[in-house]
């Protein structure tokens, strides 16, 4: 893959677009890419990053990432024209068929959990699903893609310090506004998703999980999480290959 | 092809490259990426008698030139391995090295007995060195007498040759190696991971939930090379070398140190196509350097009479 | 300043950073680059009774994220150290940790006796772990009884506190640590290098003339952290931590694991200004994270009752 | 230091020029620089590379290096404008005062030992010393800087396969031509320097040595070499800080 652009769009948040044949396989929102950030064995492991947007015709894929640790910082130093070693698309994304034309999907994202919801929202809109977005950030400086989401549908923004939109967490907003919806799609910190589940307890809900990964393809058992209400104590799912998106009730939040 | 073919007890290999235990699952995921028939052998994930869930997450952490893991021997259990995983692999013409683990000698014996009967299991890798299981496991790997007794028991139970996988976390690995050779081991696997830890500065706690984990990857290669160099001069059974192999050149270094075959672990996470790529690279190097057969290189760093061939 | 000051037996340090033994010579070269008064202490190159030439070259080799060395304790000998090297260092207001080595107990005892009388030697670092000397050396580091006996003998001979420098090449480092503590050690230095090897593909021989060498650098940090985490929970004497420290963050990780001070070795070769740079960085972090004193961090990864401060 | 150019000039041989304040200290030919080739801890160690040419006014330094191993290959990937972490100048170079106006200096270099002789030759010429160069390469493809040396003085080239200049080693040429000289300066493989010493046995001769290094500044004892005819067995010199250039008879060749 060849990098087309790589620029900062918010506090620590970068937007990178790259192009290559592999992009034609990136049709499912919520899937992720396993990216090698350097040429050497430091950093050794790939970084899992969600697909944020895809232009299938131009064979371009966009990702958003927070340059915080060693690997993502290296990623932020890449220049236009550099090649990028990408494995994927991996895992199972948000099931588009879980919602039908005319229904309302609510998409709730927190911080760097927001990117996969953008590609999801675009595809839902294409299928004539009504979308509502609730996007939670720490502060105005951390916010990104708000306009882009607004172009797709109703968008509420919350910030912890109130510097943009509603003051509080996304859950405070939900508590207060009690928005109507048919299906829930969410991605963000586990604490957030747990609170959302308890509060909204949807019939149809899909949650995107994060876990530290080794292989990213299901072979190493690094990314397992226990199944909800499992009496045997043995049941698990792999975030990388069974997820990262799981339906309501499968994983212990 | 024949320049790379290696014959070891139970393992009739097209080439000396196999994925290392625990880094390749039971092959299914990689079978989607390339034809497994290219591999010299496959070492499957450690199998225990009962299904195990393993340790809490996070189970992996990155370190300079390496990684820590504490999977905790998660596996579907002997029955599932025999009924589901091994039959899948039997579609391929590749010998299987079944890595087995347990808590007590009897566990090991029962697993060895059963798994060695599977038609495509041609050898057992006796894991006496897993650092991530609290009971048993590690002590089998540090005491020569206990290691020898276990080897003997498993040898008696197994219908196929037994490779003992040694722990590097010992004062004198040659002592253990000699003890298990005398107890009947058909070969050695060296090395398992070094015990390590990383602490997260934010939480002020170990990154890995299990606290300590096994260090693998390029960082440990010099330790593995040293141990194989020492052990291969003291035993006459073959050694499957591993630890940080990422390239065909790494493979040559292992052969020169004294290995007769190698396993590739962590590198599969960095590049899932690494095994077939190394095999191809090896073919090229054999012709380039005009090496007649890769086995010519075994132990050549310490064998006194030889004509250097790699420098040609 | 006082946020970083650390008081250890014999070592009254402005800050917890010292260059590690063997990576700083006797300070002369670095004195040309910066003012040595900035350092918390200095661990000087291992001193033996007689002058030693050491091993043939090559003595160093690079490995992934680390390096191998087999200097072989080259040093100008006790007399020169006392008459030439230590007087040079006495111009500075920095406590000196004198690393001592030998082949037999009597060697160690004589060096300890003499060197501990030097006015600026405020503590001894008893090197029972050098992997690069054939006789003695290493066996002192692997047998708890021998290590304890040597510690006792040196303690009796020394006029200053004694830190025992432990080898990581052992099955159970806590056992040795506890043994030397009971024998009277005032502190521990952990860790010395891991034994490793690299083989050159052209010559087909080990890169290092001595064949094996000691592995240092970032690659070994996870092993050191694990060992300090384990040992610090078992002993009540302070630990000087080392292995792959390159940054102030590495220092914090060592403190959280259980170290009370640290030594920086290999990093001096990568960046000769690394020690003063780390000290400055530490000052900044202390204020940033509002840590009252760096000693608050000691062992916090395993101490159960605490309020995390690094995440503030 | 900032890289001004970095280009291939012969088989595997690169020429790099960089600029920075440090250059003003690089006055002594035969000294070397200790260069950090990457930003990460792989490769960990610095690489010792000789000063090949210096423009004190423009504060530019040129080095020539063979991109063979991991570190020098990384060096060859650096781009114009990249910064370079350089320690030095280190060690003791060729003593210019060992030869006076009107005398003849013979400079014999083999392969990648040739670069430091260029800066030496330039300075000798400035001091009105007559210079003769003998440069040994493997083949024509490996040859570099021949024209540049020719501009400074008489220059003989030897190649093993005879594809350029005299066929054979530099010692074969010396044997055959028996060139007259007052002082010898040489840098190259130890085997070559040993043969030269035996053959020419000069009154005044200076040899530049290579040894694997740790610190590069004299602190780690990695780069020691035994002294010639030392009866004690203890005597040594450090290539990095006592050398890399030593007078005739000091080091055991
Ligand atoms: C399915 C999935 C999708 C993701 N999508 C995005 C995205 O679109 N944008 C984005 O910025 N981040 C995303 N993340 C999180 C991202 O993977 C981590 O932030 C990143 O790996 C951290 O790397 P680093 O080099 O910054 O940190 P380091 O601290 O250097 O990382 C060290 C190791 O820990 C792992 N690690 C650290 N934090 C995390 C984490 N939160 N989750 C998983 N592994 C972690 C790294 O992968 C690496 O192996 C996603 C994670 C998962 C599992
Ligand atoms: C004083 C001095 C001056 C030198 N000047 C030049 C020069 O002007 N141009 C040039 O191309 N080369 C020069 N060399 C040799 C150069 O240092 C090595 O070729 C280079 O370090 C090899 O690095 P690598 O990354 O290619 O190899 P790698 O194999 O990756 O190196 C691994 C390690 O071995 C060391 N090493 C490998 N070969 C040598 C060697 N021949 N000498 C010393 N250390 C070595 C490296 O520095 C590194 O630490 C000089 C060496 C010395 C000692
Ligand atoms: C994630 C992971 C899981 C592992 N699981 C096992 C295992 O089940 N049994 C075993 O004997 N070794 C296991 N190992 C050790 C490897 O087989 C190998 O010995 C070690 O990782 C060194 O090789 P490498 O550096 O190429 O990874 C595991 C290693 C990793 C990284
Ligand atoms: C070149 C070199 C020489 C060393 N010499 C000594 C020595 O004389 N005595 C000693 O106790 N340790 C010696 N060591 C070990 C270091 O003091 C330190 O314990 C080890 O290198 C780990 O730290 P590091 O990774 O920061 O280098 C030496 C290390 C190196 C790299
Ligand atoms: S990351 Fe390896 S199984 Fe999921
Ligand atoms: S390289 Fe360290 S003393 Fe010369």
């Amino acid at each position: 893959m060849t990098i087309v652009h790589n620029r900062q769009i918010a506090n620590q948040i970068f937007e990178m677009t790259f192009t290559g044949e592999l992009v034609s396989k990136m049709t499912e929102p919520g899937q992720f890419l396993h990216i090698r950030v350097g040429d050497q064995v430091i950093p050794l492991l790939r970084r899992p990053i969600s697909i944020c947007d895809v232009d299938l015709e131009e064979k371009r894929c966009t990702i958003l990432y927070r340059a915080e640790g060693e690997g993502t910082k290296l990623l932020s130093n890449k220049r236009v024209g550099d090649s990028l070693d990408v494995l994927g698309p991996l895992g199972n994304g948000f099931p588009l068929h879980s919602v039908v034309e005319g229904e309302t999907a609510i998409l709730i994202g927190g911080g760097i959990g927001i990117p996969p919801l953008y590609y999801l929202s675009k595809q839902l809109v294409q299928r004539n699903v009504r979308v509502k977005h609730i996007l939670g950030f720490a502060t105005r400086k951390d916010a990104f893609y708000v306009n882009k989401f607004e172009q797709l549908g109703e968008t509420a923004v919350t910030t912890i310090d109130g510097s943009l939109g509603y003051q509080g967490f996304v859950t405070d907003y939900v508590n207060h506004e009690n928005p109507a919806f048919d299906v829930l799609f969410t991605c963000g910190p586990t604490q957030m998703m747990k609170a959302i589940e308890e509060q909204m307890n949807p019939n149809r809900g899909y949650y995107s999980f994060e876990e530290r990964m080794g292989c990213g393809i299901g072979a190493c058992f690094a990314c397992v999480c226990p199944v909800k209400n499992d009496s045997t104590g043995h049941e698990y799912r792999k975030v990388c290959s069974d997820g990262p998106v799981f339906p309501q009730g499968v994983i212990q939040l | 092809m024949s320049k790379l073919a290696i014959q070891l007890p139970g393992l009739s290999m097209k080439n000396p490259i196999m994925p290392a235990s625990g880094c390749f699952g039971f092959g299914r995921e990689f079978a989607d990426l390339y034809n497994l028939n290219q591999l010299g052998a496959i070492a499957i994930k450690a199998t225990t008698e009962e299904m195990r869930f393993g340790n809490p997450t996070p189970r992996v952490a990155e370190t300079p030139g390496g990684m820590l893991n504490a999977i905790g021997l998660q596996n579907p259990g002997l029955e599932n391995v025999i009924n589901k995983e091994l039959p899948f692999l039997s579609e391929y013409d590749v010998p299987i090295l079944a890595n087995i683990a347990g808590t007590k000698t009897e566990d090991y014996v029962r697993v060895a007995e059963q798994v060695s009967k599977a038609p495509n299991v041609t050898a057992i890798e006796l894991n006496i060195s897993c650092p991530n299981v609290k009971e048993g496991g590690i002590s089998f790997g540090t005491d020569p007498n206990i290691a020898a007794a276990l080897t003997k028991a498993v040898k008696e139970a197994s219908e196929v040759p037994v490779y003992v996988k040694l722990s590097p976390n010992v004062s004198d690995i040659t002592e253990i190696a000699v003890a298990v050779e005398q107890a009947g081991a058909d070969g050695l696997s060296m090395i398992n991971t070094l015990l390590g830890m990383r602490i997260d500065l934010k939480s002020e706690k170990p990154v890995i939930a299990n606290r300590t984990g096994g260090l693998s990857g390029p960082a440990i290669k010099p330790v593995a090379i040293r141990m194989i160099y020492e052990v291969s001069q003291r035993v006459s059974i073959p050694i499957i070398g591993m630890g940080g192999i990422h390239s065909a050149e790494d493979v040559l270094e292992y052969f020169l140190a004294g290995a007769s075959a190698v396993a590739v672990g962590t590198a599969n996470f960095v590049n899932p196509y690494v095994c077939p790529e190394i095999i191809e690279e090896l073919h090229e190097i054999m012709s380039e350097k005009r090496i007649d057969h890769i086995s010519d290189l075994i132990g050549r760093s310490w064998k006194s009479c030889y004509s250097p061939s790699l420098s040609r």
Side-chain angles (χ1 to χ4, degrees), chain A, chain B:
Chain A
M1 314 289 264
T2 309
I3 295 173
V4 177
H5 86 243
N6 190 19
R7 65 171 164 237
Q8 194 166 356
I9 58 166
N11 185 23
Q12 286 193 312
I13 306 291
F14 285 73
E15 179 189 63
M16 180 189 272
T17 301
F18 47 82
T19 179
E21 284 307 316
L22 207 62
V23 172
S24 48
K25 293 192 183 160
M26 301 180 186
T27 53
E28 202 180 314
Q31 285 191 303
F32 69 96
L33 308 173
H34 217 23
I35 299 182
R36 190 151 176 212
V37 290
D39 308 320
Q40 283 159 289
V41 296
I42 294 187
L44 186 66
L45 298 172
R46 289 172 177 267
R47 299 314 196 240
I49 304 284
S50 304
I51 297 169
C52 168
D53 195 10
V54 175
D55 181 334
L56 289 171
E57 270 173 33
E58 299 278 327
K59 293 195 178 128
R60 283 171 179 227
C61 168
T62 297
I63 56 172
L64 305 184
Y65 59 94
R66 177 186 282 141
E68 201 171 9
E70 191 189 358
T72 48
K73 272 187 198 145
L74 273 175
L75 207 55
S76 72
N77 292 336
K78 298 250 180 199
R79 311 183 208 184
V80 171
D82 283 356
S83 71
L84 191 72
D85 180 346
V86 171
L87 190 68
L90 300 175
N92 295 299
F94 295 103
L96 292 168
H97 295 282
S98 61
V99 49
V100 299
E101 201 167 324
E103 285 187 315
T104 300
I106 192 161
L107 283 63
I108 307 183
I112 201 62
I114 292 170
L117 300 182
Y118 184 68
Y119 192 33
L120 171 65
S121 183
K122 266 177 104 172
Q123 296 208 31
L124 291 173
V125 168
Q126 257 178 21
R127 295 169 165 253
N128 296 318
V129 172
R130 224 184 118 211
V131 292
K132 289 183 187 176
H133 313 112
I134 310 177
L135 311 177
F137 301 101
T139 73
R140 172 188 282 270
K141 277 192 206 153
D142 302 291
F144 54 87
Y145 265 46
V146 174
N147 287 340
K148 293 198 139 209
F149 275 100
E150 278 170 349
Q151 283 165 29
L152 297 171
E154 198 183 314
T155 302
V157 171
T158 73
T159 52
I160 298 173
D161 68 350
S163 53
L164 187 71
Y166 188 92
Q167 196 218 310
F169 294 103
V170 291
T171 42
D172 297 328
Y173 176 86
V174 168
N175 237 345
H176 196 256
E177 299 290 328
N178 215 356
F181 67 95
D182 298 299
V183 185
L184 163 75
F185 298 104
T186 180
C187 181
T190 312
Q191 286 308 317
M192 180 197 92
M193 295 201 296
K194 192 181 163 81
I196 288 173
E197 187 195 31
E198 281 166 8
Q199 213 169 305
M200 304 177 77
N201 194 25
N203 288 323
R204 283 177 278 161
Y206 297 90
Y207 301 77
S208 181
F209 286 76
E210 258 189 24
E211 195 49 81
R212 296 205 174 219
M213 292 184 180
C215 65
I217 59 173
C220 76
F221 294 90
C223 66
V224 299
C225 40
V227 161
K228 198 167 180 164
N229 304 326
D230 163 37
S231 56
T232 70
H234 293 319
E235 289 258 23
Y236 62 88
R237 293 289 184 282
K238 292 173 187 162
V239 169
C240 71
S241 53
D242 299 323
V245 175
F246 293 98
Q248 171 84 3
V250 172
I251 303 297
Q252 183 65 53
L253 261 167
Chain B
M1 205 59 175
S2 65
K3 281 188 174 194
L4 293 182
I6 289 273
Q7 291 293 333
L8 300 183
L11 299 171
S12 178
M13 299 166 71
K14 299 180 198 87
N15 60 65
I17 309 297
M18 71 180 84
S21 175
C23 302
F24 205 75
F26 296 92
R28 288 182 194 272
E29 294 77 16
F30 290 86
D32 291 344
L33 301 177
Y34 59 82
N35 186 342
L36 303 185
N37 280 330
Q38 294 171 74
L39 298 170
I42 296 175
I44 57 173
K45 175 81 194 146
T47 299
T48 56
E49 200 172 6
E50 307 296 335
M51 177 189 268
R52 286 210 195 175
F53 180 78
N55 293 320
T57 58
R59 294 176 169 189
V60 293
E62 202 178 42
T63 72
M67 67 174 280
L68 294 168
N69 90 79
I71 307 298
L73 295 182
Q74 177 158 27
N75 80 94
L78 181 60
E79 211 181 293
N80 282 318
V81 169
I82 289 178
N83 296 330
K84 291 192 193 148
E85 305 298 347
L86 287 170
F88 168 79
L89 284 169
S90 70
E91 287 168 36
Y92 298 93
D93 174 30
V94 180
I96 305 297
L97 182 63
N99 188 284
I100 66 166
T103 312
K104 298 188 298 288
T105 305
E106 305 84 75
D107 305 341
Y108 278 105
V109 165
R110 274 193 297 264
V111 179
E113 208 165 50
Q114 298 297 317
V115 90
S116 69
K117 289 192 181 117
N120 54 336
V121 168
T122 61
I124 276 180
E125 185 171 45
L126 178 58
N127 183 357
I128 59 167
S129 50
C130 182
N132 298 323
V133 197
K134 299 256 165 46
E135 327 132 80
I138 188 80
S139 76
F140 284 114
T142 52
D143 183 314
N145 295 325
I146 301 180
L150 180 67
T151 304
K152 210 166 172 192
V154 168
K155 260 304 275 184
E156 275 163 20
S158 171
E159 301 191 358
V160 295
V162 174
Y163 291 74
V164 180
K165 184 153 179 181
L166 303 184
S167 167
N169 304 294
V170 295
S171 308
D172 182 1
I173 196 162
T174 56
E175 195 188 14
I176 316 262
V178 167
V180 302
E181 179 183 36
Q182 280 168 359
D186 300 284
L188 300 171
S189 284
M190 305 176 54
I191 58 174
N192 211 317
T193 53
L194 281 164
L195 209 49
M197 179 186 283
R198 225 189 107 169
I199 296 173
D200 181 63
L201 297 188
K202 274 200 192 139
S203 69
E204 305 189 342
K205 294 282 174 206
V207 173
I208 290 204
N210 185 51
R211 290 176 301 184
T212 61
L215 182 63
S216 64
I220 70 168
K221 200 183 74 174
V223 175
I225 292 286
R226 185 264 296 180
M227 290 182 163
I228 291 169
Y229 179 89
E230 288 173 349
V231 168
S232 63
Q233 296 180 58
R234 295 286 304 279
V235 301
S236 50
I237 50 179
I239 296 173
I240 303 171
M242 68 203 78
I245 296 177
H246 274 239
S247 68
E249 280 166 12
D250 292 332
V251 174
L252 300 182
E253 192 175 350
Y254 270 88
F255 268 75
L256 292 171
S260 299
V262 298
V264 179
T266 305
N268 289 290
F269 307 161
V270 181
N271 171 12
Y273 301 94
V274 69
C275 287
E277 282 176 16
I278 287 179
I279 293 165
E280 203 180 306
E281 237 187 296
L282 273 181
H283 278 295
E284 284 163 22
I285 292 182
M286 289 294 111
S287 332
E288 247 172 56
K289 314 243 181 196
R290 291 191 224 128
I291 303 170
D292 287 338
H293 197 277
I294 189 153
S295 59
D296 296 351
L297 304 181
I298 300 169
R300 195 130 84 181
S301 63
W302 51 264
K303 281 179 186 158
S304 48
C305 295
Y306 72 95
S307 52
S309 73
L310 286 181
S311 52
R312 261 189 239 166

